[in-house]
Amino acid sequence: MSKVAIVGVGISKFGNRKGVSLRELAFEAFREAVEDAGIEKDEIQAVVTGCASDEFALSGQPGAAIQEYLGLNPKPHFRVEAACASGSMAVRSGWMTIQSGLADIVLVNGAEKMTEASTARATEIMAKFGDAVWEYPFGLSFPGYYAMLASNYLATYKESDRSDLAKVAVKNHYYGTLNPKAHMQKIITEEQAMSGFVVAFPLRLHDCSLISDGASSIIMVSEKLAKRFDKPVWLTGLGCGSETHGIGKRKSLTSLESACVSSEQAYKMAGIGPKDVDVAVVHDCFTIAELIAYEDLGFCGRGEAPMLIRDKETYLDGRIPVNVDGGLKAKGHPIGATGVAMSAEIVKQLRGECDERQVKGAKTGLSHNVGGSGQFVAVHIYEA
Amino acid sequence: MEFKDFSLMVGQSKAAAFVDFLAKGTIMATRCKKCSREYYPPQMDCSSCLGDDMEWFECPTEGELVSFTQIMVLPEHFALPALSVPFARALLTPSPVGLLEVKEGIRIMGWVPKTSPNDLTVGERMKASPQVLDDGRVTIVLEKSGK
């Protein structure tokens, strides 16, 4: 099979971007990606946009507003929705568009403007990403779903402790300060992370990612066009899986089956294993999700994630650096943008452009993007 | 009935009878007559064999607590409207929510009233039962079964 390369990446500043609209956020990321690739925008042949919610966008077909604002009409364009994995599914669609032969240069956008909603409203919108008929009526919020995973995880693995969750927050907050695009630029202590107010027991303030505005764009090209570019990063493995909508129907609450099948597919396709990954970005929408990701991706065995974070093995100089861009936790989590921004971050890592947060000599990267509480997962593997 | 719109939003479902059963005091599940797969929450189509001939059966109600949480930052719909008293602050203490496994493949979600999450333990024995609220709506509660 021929290959697909990523040759340009852009990320808007993530944050509470008061006074900047969804299409304007997308423009910031798009312009950066076009300049990074060194192409003319008219060379783009097809566009895919990941955007999760009309309710956050306060409009229908928000992708259309973006496409017009980027000056890309009448090029082919559609939107992909897979909750918080919309971005990675857009990347997957971009890969498919190229591999099918429909286009040789594809733009993939991810964008979300979340802060126009109040916290209570945003909590409501996100809560209804869960099973709105059978589970939402019990007041279950989005943090509530991950709290259910956390309670079960902490009870299943006796060695684990709530302080292990806090350690994930401490790490990701620290790396957020090394990423100029990150929403949160603040170091926190383990004591702070242990004592924030309870959002959904046992998850506290610092266990939760941020409600953010942001956008990211990448430019993907076919193998034959990739020769034109200096530092192509190849998308060599793709995996994708799904999980029951209702959390009451899950076989396991300590793992996401969708993530396990995704990683298995991606490793197989790339012909590598977890030990070959030099740098990873994983979906830490909540701290517990990062611990579960370590295990679902095979970075450690079942129940061993707490030891991985205690031994600082997922820090920059550890065995497998994870979320050294701050993760969703500190970088922010504009849901539709997140997956594309993950790809952009790994591309920069594999090109050696991450300054203080650079993993030295990284050649192989991985992104793990979860939609909802596991209903959609995409794992991508990248090679320099 | 009004409570269907709020407490469990199954008004527009073929499984809407669930709420009527609940109002009469029983928690019901469905079983596919063709392949015997059981469903809770109930569904009137079988996702396994694609059959649509289902029968209702009464769920066991005792089992082990699989997980729980207590949602302190609530979705807008559940949150209190702002107080009109200046400088006052309302402290809302929602009850925890739990997930009870009553048999393999059947996990019942319910409120755990009058308790703190610190008093709950994964694996402990509990019992699920329907409860009619003061305003006539019906929901499900979990209580320690003391075994």
Side-chain angles (χ1 to χ4, degrees):
Chain A
M1 198 194 298
S2 64
K3 295 192 291 181
V4 170
I6 301 170
V7 296
V9 301
I11 304 179
S12 79
K13 172 84 175 91
F14 281 14
N16 184 343
R17 299 291 310 275
K18 209 172 164 57
V20 183
S21 71
L22 180 70
R23 65 190 84 179
E24 290 163 351
L25 288 166
F27 187 89
E28 292 178 16
F30 171 63
R31 188 170 63 185
E32 194 174 293
V34 167
E35 284 172 2
D36 182 50
I39 61 166
E40 297 296 324
K41 87 174 164 72
D42 291 337
E43 292 184 74
I44 293 164
Q45 294 166 354
V47 186
V48 185
T49 297
C51 185
S53 170
D54 293 359
E55 292 191 74
F56 279 124
L58 304 175
S59 72
Q61 51 169 351
I66 292 171
Q67 177 81 347
E68 181 204 296
Y69 202 71
L70 304 186
L72 293 170
N73 300 126
K75 294 176 195 293
H77 175 231
F78 59 88
R79 168 190 171 191
V80 169
E81 186 277 313
C84 320
S86 297
S88 284
M89 296 307 176
V91 172
R92 190 176 163 90
S93 300
W95 184 90
M96 292 178 195
T97 302
I98 290 170
Q99 292 294 45
S100 67
L102 283 173
D104 285 308
I105 304 190
V106 174
L107 166 71
V108 176
N109 304 306
E112 210 83 41
K113 169 97 183 154
M114 300 175 75
T115 63
E116 277 184 84
S118 67
T119 300
R121 178 75 195 135
T123 306
E124 174 86 14
I125 295 169
M126 292 305 296
K128 285 189 171 166
F129 275 53
D131 191 326
V133 174
W134 295 103
E135 296 181 342
Y136 166 81
F138 292 101
L140 223 58
S141 63
F142 199 61
Y145 281 102
Y146 277 93
M148 286 273 198
L149 300 184
S151 292
N152 187 266
Y153 187 98
L154 294 173
T156 302
Y157 300 115
K158 307 295 177 207
E159 288 289 301
S160 66
D161 188 80
R162 226 205 67 76
S163 61
D164 298 320
L165 304 181
K167 287 182 171 69
V168 172
V170 169
K171 170 176 75 73
N172 294 356
H173 269 265
Y174 168 67
Y175 286 119
T177 66
L178 304 185
N179 181 354
K181 296 283 177 75
H183 183 166
M184 181 64 70
Q185 302 279 343
K186 198 174 81 182
I187 288 172
I188 58 163
T189 64
E190 193 171 317
E191 292 67 38
Q192 282 174 303
M194 290 292 282
S195 59
F197 67 81
V198 176
V199 173
F201 180 94
L203 301 180
R204 291 173 181 264
L205 176 67
H206 294 101
D207 290 306
C208 307
S209 59
L210 301 159
I211 293 169
S212 310
D213 308 324
S216 181
S217 295
I218 64 170
I219 290 161
M220 302 170 80
V221 301
S222 63
E223 187 168 0
K224 67 176 184 212
L225 280 194
K227 293 182 197 82
R228 249 181 71 184
F229 299 90
D230 293 340
K231 290 181 179 174
V233 168
W234 303 96
L235 196 49
T236 56
L238 294 92
C240 183
S242 63
E243 177 67 280
T244 63
H245 194 31
I247 199 166
K249 293 194 169 168
R250 304 273 172 93
K251 290 187 202 92
S252 167
L253 294 182
T254 56
S255 166
L256 302 177
E257 191 181 10
S258 46
C260 297
V261 303
S262 299
S263 61
E264 203 175 304
Q265 289 167 21
Y267 286 135
K268 192 177 170 199
M269 183 172 163
I272 66 162
K275 287 193 169 57
D276 302 313
V277 177
D278 299 317
V279 56
V281 285
V282 309
H283 199 91
D284 60 325
C285 51
F286 300 94
T287 49
I288 181 64
E290 178 161 325
L291 294 184
I292 290 175
Y294 294 168
E295 299 177 13
D296 288 346
L297 293 166
F299 294 157
C300 63
R302 291 286 162 206
E304 291 172 7
M307 275 55 90
L308 211 59
I309 187 71
R310 283 177 211 171
D311 296 343
K312 299 198 168 188
E313 294 285 18
T314 51
Y315 275 69
L316 206 47
D317 48 4
R319 183 159 62 78
I320 168 70
V322 175
N323 287 341
V324 293
D325 62 344
L328 282 49
K329 168 66 268 214
K331 189 172 58 176
H333 183 23
I335 49 182
T338 285
V340 183
M342 284 177 163
S343 295
E345 172 68 13
I346 292 294
V347 167
K348 281 173 168 279
Q349 279 285 353
L350 299 191
R351 288 183 189 162
E353 295 173 356
C354 284
D355 304 323
E356 284 180 280
R357 64 181 195 280
Q358 178 65 43
V359 176
K360 285 193 188 72
K363 291 277 172 276
T364 302
L366 178 149
S367 66
H368 157 279
N369 188 196
V370 178
S373 54
Q375 287 87 348
F376 305 97
V377 174
V379 171
H380 300 330
I381 289 168
Y382 313 74
E383 287 173 64
Chain B
M1 273 178 281
E2 198 229 336
F3 61 74
K4 285 187 182 177
D5 295 335
F6 173 83
S7 186
L8 283 162
M9 297 178 285
V10 296
Q12 289 296 320
S13 160
K14 292 175 181 174
F18 176 79
V19 179
D20 301 322
F21 287 123
L22 217 52
K24 288 178 199 145
T26 54
I27 300 174
M28 301 290 278
T30 57
R31 183 186 293 122
C32 174
K33 286 188 184 173
K34 196 169 144 200
C35 75
S36 301
R37 166 123 184 234
E38 294 174 349
Y39 291 95
Y40 185 89
Q43 53 186 69
M44 304 313 285
D45 304 295
C46 181
S47 307
S48 277
C49 75
L50 305 189
D52 63 356
D53 193 8
M54 313 291 283
E55 59 184 357
W56 289 95
F57 70 96
E58 200 171 332
C59 249
T61 52
E62 288 200 29
E64 282 187 3
L65 187 65
V66 175
S67 195
F68 60 91
T69 180
Q70 181 184 30
I71 318 284
M72 301 305 290
V73 179
L74 286 159
E76 190 176 43
H77 181 96
F78 296 88
L80 280 181
L83 278 186
S84 56
V85 184
F87 316 116
R89 199 159 76 95
L91 282 178
L92 180 65
T93 311
S95 88
V97 179
L99 197 55
L100 187 71
E101 180 161 283
V102 293
K103 70 182 281 194
E104 201 185 332
I106 296 193
R107 291 177 171 186
I108 298 175
M109 190 174 281
W111 299 101
V112 194
K114 297 176 199 147
T115 185
S116 148
N118 296 317
D119 299 329
L120 295 172
T121 316
V122 168
E124 72 180 312
R125 301 289 299 176
M126 297 190 90
K127 181 179 164 47
S129 49
Q131 184 156 327
V132 181
L133 303 171
D134 292 345
D135 57 8
R137 289 176 292 125
V138 176
T139 191
I140 296 170
V141 296
L142 309 181
E143 292 159 302
K144 301 200 183 210
S145 60
K147 272 188 186 173

